[in-house]
Amino acid sequence: MAPKTKILLIDDEDLLREGCKRLLEMAGYDVSSSAFPEEGLRWARSEAFDIAIVDFRMPGMTGIELIEKLRRVAPSIDIVMMTGYASIEMAVEAMKTGAQDYIAKPFEADQMLETVSRLLKKRGHLGPQADHNFTFEHGGQIVRLIGASPGMQELFAMILKVAPSDSTVLIQGESGTGKELVAKAIHSHSKRKNRAFIAMDCGSLVESLFESELFGHVKGSFTGATATKHGAFELAHGGTFFFDEIGNISLSVQAKILRAIQEKQIRRIGATQIIPVDARVIAATNLDLSAAVENGRFREDLYYRLSVIPIHLPPLRERRQDIPILTDFFITKHNQRRPHKPIENLSAEAAAIFNAHDWPGNVRELENVIERATVIEEGHQITVSSLPPNLQHLHNLEEGSGVAKIESLAGLEKKHIHQVLKKVNWNISQSAKALGIDRKTLYDKIKKYGLQPD
Amino acid sequence: MSMPTMNCLIVANPQKSVAQELDLFLRTHAIATKVVEDAVAAVQCVQEQHFDAIVLDARAHGLKIEQTIRLLKGCDPHARIIVRTDDNSRHLEGRVRKEQIFYYHLDSFGMHDLQLALSTALGMQDSATSIINHM
């Protein structure tokens, strides 16, 4: 196993330092942190760190002085300077002194992780790969698919299996399950990874604009000159083209897409010239495309052309064991906005709600709920009161007797019959009439549920 | 209760005339607009306020176009970004499209296309239909 990447973090702001340390450790790095520049320098003399992240303003020594000293004691270390006083001059000064990168406070968790991964990439390695993460580099950023569940582990294996081929892939899954991330993961593990990954949301534009965006357009300008829009598909030549929400396109555009995939060539709108395009196609949809084919809303030939390799993304409710891992990840991510009072965990009630909720919006919904809670929560725990009303409702359903315990139909029937009987002083005829059942059925139910007058 | 206001940020450099025309079009449709001169000012605006759509000049001063898009998306992942240019090249279009924008517009294609894309980005269905009918 490769040794962990070692990071030295020096910042006198305790909360920010601890938040960064936790973030980087969760990402799998080995972090040594100190509030004191001299202590950091001492460590750098005796240990080999890959990266040092240092604050610009600290008592006793400026960031620039620290960078100069670090550079002398550990010439191979990469240095990132953090500062709350962002200015181009300071960045230039830090770079002149020997810092490799610069990050302005306040920053997002992603920015910090991206900065670290960028430096690691330059050093020739990608960093850690935790067991439950599928981590890859895309467009200069580190991207993570998270999940320890069997469904996600199978997905990770599938990505690695299909990535090297040029076959079309159809990713099906509900909204918020991470279809685009999977497409990027496939691209990033393919031989096309150094070429373009171009994505288009098929449902966002009106048809006339969509076609021009996709295939390009040659149009005479008002001066009589010809302007050319190359189009997204052509620009994916050599790389990967991702059709997001492919189920939303019209039948006429479907025909053109089919031709482009089959013949590996396109013609810009208004042009006569044919342009060869070698792009791997990945498509995604949250619809049941086979049903759309049966209904005549999606071309059968295009469906089969796209679904050479079908990948199904499991909804979050089918991989509940991933909820705690994802929750931790998103709490750390969104804690960056509240370094003064980081969220540590969920209250027991909130955790039970997270486990009971069906998450129709999947991972995206989970992240939104956590982001919301980190904004409004005043304590160190996400509590029920900082959850959206639809989740709080789960708590209210069975408050005091187990969160979100859904009552059975029989239980509800028993309660309802008892209430009706009480209301009419156990008059069986009136109760049966109110309940819409005959007297015999009511007697049977009274006996079945063991109901008695109070 | 008043209707929520849609916001649009327009980065004007160097084609101020396009910005003025768009500004007028959006104000006619009761969309709040803000016009700034360069990419850095655009990023600062988006750090302070949510914009539903951003019309960005591909050659806006201050930052490279791909950096600008990344920073804008980092500040507000939900904003729909339209990039426009009066001087296209395959290289420029490729760099921009890698950043996954909402729409790429060439000025010589005319204001109608840009207005239609912007109407769609802002969910102005009536305006989009009206533009399509007049095309």
Side-chain angles (χ1 to χ4, degrees), chain A residues 3 25 81 89 107 142 151 170 189 198 208 225 239 243 267 348-349 357 364 367 372 377 411 421:
Chain A
E25 283 178 342
M81 193 181 79
E89 291 77 17
F107 48 81
I142 286 295
L170 179 63
H189 283 83
I198 294 192
S208 59
F243 288 100
R267 185 158 51 199
E349 292 83 4
H357 184 48
R364 189 183 296 135
E367 179 170 10
R372 177 187 194 273
E377 184 62 67
L421 285 165

Side-chain angles (χ1 to χ4, degrees), chain A residues 208-269:
Chain A
S208 59
L209 294 185
F210 177 74
E211 215 179 314
S212 149
E213 281 285 273
L214 182 58
F215 295 121
H217 202 152
V218 177
K219 199 169 182 176
S221 73
F222 55 90
T223 58
T226 301
T228 298
K229 184 190 259 194
H230 295 270
F233 200 74
E234 181 190 329
L235 292 166
H237 181 68
T240 303
F241 192 87
F242 177 55
F243 288 100
D244 199 6
E245 300 306 348
I246 189 126
N248 293 340
I249 51 174
S250 69
L251 286 164
S252 68
V253 178
Q254 285 174 32
K256 292 173 186 170
I257 291 173
L258 177 68
R259 207 173 309 130
I261 298 172
Q262 278 186 168
E263 296 168 16
K264 294 188 180 294
Q265 56 188 28
I266 55 138
R267 185 158 51 199
R268 296 181 193 133
I269 297 170

Side-chain angles (χ1 to χ4, degrees), chain A residues 119-131:
Chain A
L119 290 177
L120 287 176
K121 198 180 160 200
K122 280 185 194 162
R123 292 174 79 94
H125 59 105
L126 254 183
Q129 186 101 3
D131 286 343

Side-chain angles (χ1 to χ4, degrees), chain A residues 95 133 151 207 237 257 311 341 356 364 399 436:
Chain A
M95 300 296 182
N133 284 358
E207 188 170 323
H237 181 68
I257 291 173
I311 291 182
K341 207 170 198 180
R364 189 183 296 135
E399 195 170 14

Side-chain angles (χ1 to χ4, degrees), chain A residues 138-173:
Chain A
H138 181 90
Q141 299 180 356
I142 286 295
V143 188
R144 281 180 181 79
L145 284 161
I146 295 169
S149 59
M152 291 304 281
Q153 294 299 313
E154 280 170 29
L155 173 70
F156 300 162
M158 186 71 167
I159 290 169
L160 294 174
K161 203 168 169 183
V162 306
S165 83
D166 268 344
S167 303
T168 53
V169 178
L170 179 63
I171 305 167
Q172 290 182 287

Side-chain angles (χ1 to χ4, degrees), chain A residues 86-99:
Chain A
S87 77
I88 297 296
E89 291 77 17
M90 263 176 213
V92 170
E93 189 60 30
M95 300 296 182
K96 274 184 190 168
T97 318

